[in-house]
Amino acid sequence: MNNNNNSYKSKINYVLFHLKQHMELSDSLMNHFLFFTNNETGIGIFFNTQFSEFDIDNVKWVDNIPVLFPQSDIDEIFSVKGKSVTFNHDLISSAFFLLSGKQETANFIPDSYGRFPYAESVQYKLNIPHIPVVNYYFEWIIQGIEKFGELNRIEVKRKISKAPFTFALSHDIDRIDRYDRFYVAYHFKELLGIEKTDKTKYNALKDLAICTFEWVKGKKRKNPWWNFKEITDIENKLGIKSAFYFLPNHNYKVDAFYSLEEPRVIMLMNSLINNGFEVGMHGAMASANDEQVLKGQIQRLNKLLHEPISGNRQHNLSFKYHDTLKYLQSAGVKYDTTLGFAEHEGFRNSYCHPFKPFDFDNNEMLDIWEIPLVVMDATLFKYQKYSFEQANKAIDNLIVEIEKFGGVFSLLWHNSYYDNEVMPGIIEFYENMLERVMNKGAIANTAKNIIRVIDNRL
Ligand SMILES: [Zn+2]
């Protein structure tokens, strides 16, 4: 164990850093923390840290929460002996495993967008995508520490109360023209089967016909995707300020159908900023694996804006763990908000608060925040194929969990999903959902401001 002491230390510190979001950890309190050996004679809090290899067959369920690294058959989370508290399971390793994204550093076959597939994840295998398991671990740890404080007359202070929760709404701007020549070509390819689609031939033909019909009208064509006034009006009405992520790569095959330098786009971005919304980068496909491309795109975007960007979300959630994060960090980006599963709503790192990812190459915490993406529109309707009723139920269940821990409900809604032609009734669904979230007492904030609040708390 000695050879690995530093490695263990940085993993423990990583977990403690995040625990500090939830409670005060003074030196005098931490002096009582024991990780590897139980001090039988003295008084302390023994964490039972082992850092063994993860084995899914060993997982132990306590109160419907999976403990990934159990150390005994005991159901109680901690035991009290004299004035000492002993955790009966290795909660530090369990929290580290999920929070750090360790599973994404293993060998896996990426999906067609280069992503870590949901089916490979421990969240899928244990059926826990909707449970912020790390928050439950932290709650258990805090309760154990509170018990110790009570026994030894040491004050233990929590930082986050249960309510209210935070609402981080965002929009990825992939498309701004519903009927342009790229779309005519795209639908034509769909019809011929050159472009992958799950549409019937009839629907592909119908889409091509509608698109061509509008396109030939030239300037008189309607454009349901230039809908920024509608989107911001409803947010202003409900007291929401959201973030808009723009794609800097004008390459319609994989990225945007528009160009960042178009005067209407420059005007739009700056008018959003001037009205209290946030503008960030929607990292193009090629930037996930290429630091120079990523940096070039940030520069290109910043040159056009009144204030430089703070955050990013990768287009198509295309991501290379942890390289993309390292590129973003070195470019000075403050946060990323890509990490959610495309195929399933919920918590990819089993945590409902922003966190700092871990760099396994250098065995240290990265200096960039990740605001985990909890729900994406396409997840609900393209991947899960939910009805509106099922989608509402899935969202409500997630919010129940987030409310328990005063966490962050982050929702991605593409402007191209604010369109009843794409799905009849979806605008009404979306607006009702926003209203419901706000009626639950959420505090809405831009991602940039959420990070500012957390930085102040730590
Ligand atoms: Zn996108």
Side-chain angles (χ1 to χ4, degrees), residues 73-319:
D73 293 332
I74 305 172
D75 275 345
E76 278 72 42
I77 291 302
F78 59 85
S79 310
V80 176
K81 203 170 151 194
K83 289 189 170 185
S84 289
V85 166
T86 294
F87 286 100
N88 296 319
H89 305 293
D90 184 356
L91 298 178
I92 299 282
S93 295
S94 301
F96 179 81
F97 183 88
L98 293 169
L99 206 50
S100 67
K102 175 94 172 88
Q103 61 177 349
E104 303 195 27
T105 64
N107 284 331
F108 62 87
I109 299 166
D111 72 4
S112 59
Y113 290 112
R115 303 180 294 210
F116 177 65
Y118 172 60
E120 292 275 344
S121 71
V122 68
Q123 285 79 8
Y124 165 72
K125 289 170 188 161
L126 297 174
N127 191 24
I128 51 162
H130 50 294
I131 306 176
V133 174
V134 173
N135 290 91
Y136 282 89
Y137 295 156
F138 283 171
E139 180 57 32
W140 289 341
I141 292 175
I142 294 170
Q143 285 173 12
I145 295 173
E146 281 175 338
K147 185 74 199 168
F148 178 82
E150 196 185 303
L151 293 168
N152 296 281
R153 292 166 190 263
I154 298 171
E155 195 185 8
V156 176
K157 273 196 211 152
R158 287 180 183 249
K159 284 184 184 169
I160 302 179
S161 54
K162 288 184 177 181
F165 67 103
T166 302
F167 180 31
L169 175 62
S170 61
H171 311 281
D172 291 355
I173 312 304
D174 298 342
R175 313 277 180 255
I176 55 176
D177 294 300
R178 179 81 166 91
Y179 305 110
D180 62 6
R181 64 196 160 90
F182 298 116
Y183 249 87
V184 173
Y186 183 84
H187 288 314
F188 191 58
K189 284 182 192 162
E190 274 187 333
L191 185 67
L192 296 180
I194 300 168
E195 202 69 55
K196 218 171 83 184
T197 178
D198 46 15
K199 282 179 197 164
T200 61
K201 285 277 170 212
Y202 173 77
N203 281 338
L205 182 63
K206 199 174 99 187
D207 283 350
L208 176 63
I210 295 172
C211 196
T212 311
F213 177 74
E214 281 297 330
W215 175 59
V216 294
K217 287 186 190 166
K219 284 210 161 79
K220 284 192 184 139
R221 71 177 75 110
K222 52 180 183 173
N223 187 5
W225 289 353
W226 189 264
N227 46 14
F228 303 99
K229 183 170 180 331
E230 290 85 345
I231 288 175
T232 52
D233 274 355
I234 171 91
E235 293 178 25
N236 283 329
K237 195 180 106 196
L238 294 171
I240 300 171
K241 290 289 180 199
S242 64
F244 293 76
Y245 301 107
F246 285 84
L247 250 169
N249 194 17
H250 182 206
N251 170 356
Y252 78 97
K253 283 205 175 90
V254 289
D255 292 315
F257 282 33
Y258 62 89
S259 167
L260 213 52
E261 282 82 6
E262 289 176 49
R264 59 174 178 161
V265 176
I266 299 176
M267 262 175 63
L268 168 65
M269 293 191 296
N270 285 303
S271 128
L272 287 167
I273 293 174
N274 293 344
N275 286 293
F277 296 91
E278 178 183 349
V279 168
M281 183 169 79
H282 194 33
M285 290 294 280
S287 68
N289 292 315
D290 191 321
E291 186 168 8
Q292 289 321 311
V293 169
L294 185 135
K295 284 190 170 160
Q297 292 185 347
I298 294 174
Q299 278 168 6
R300 197 173 144 199
L301 185 52
N302 276 342
K303 236 191 278 174
L304 305 170
L305 299 179
H306 292 165
E307 65 179 41
I309 61 145
S310 298
N312 170 70
R313 176 180 296 120
Q314 289 299 113
H315 181 45
N316 289 325
L317 310 185
S318 175
F319 209 77

Side-chain angles (χ1 to χ4, degrees), residues 314-329:
Q314 289 299 113
H315 181 45
N316 289 325
L317 310 185
S318 175
F319 209 77
K320 187 149 186 285
Y321 222 70
H322 301 77
D323 294 353
T324 316
L325 288 161
K326 284 200 225 174
Y327 306 154
L328 289 165
Q329 177 189 322

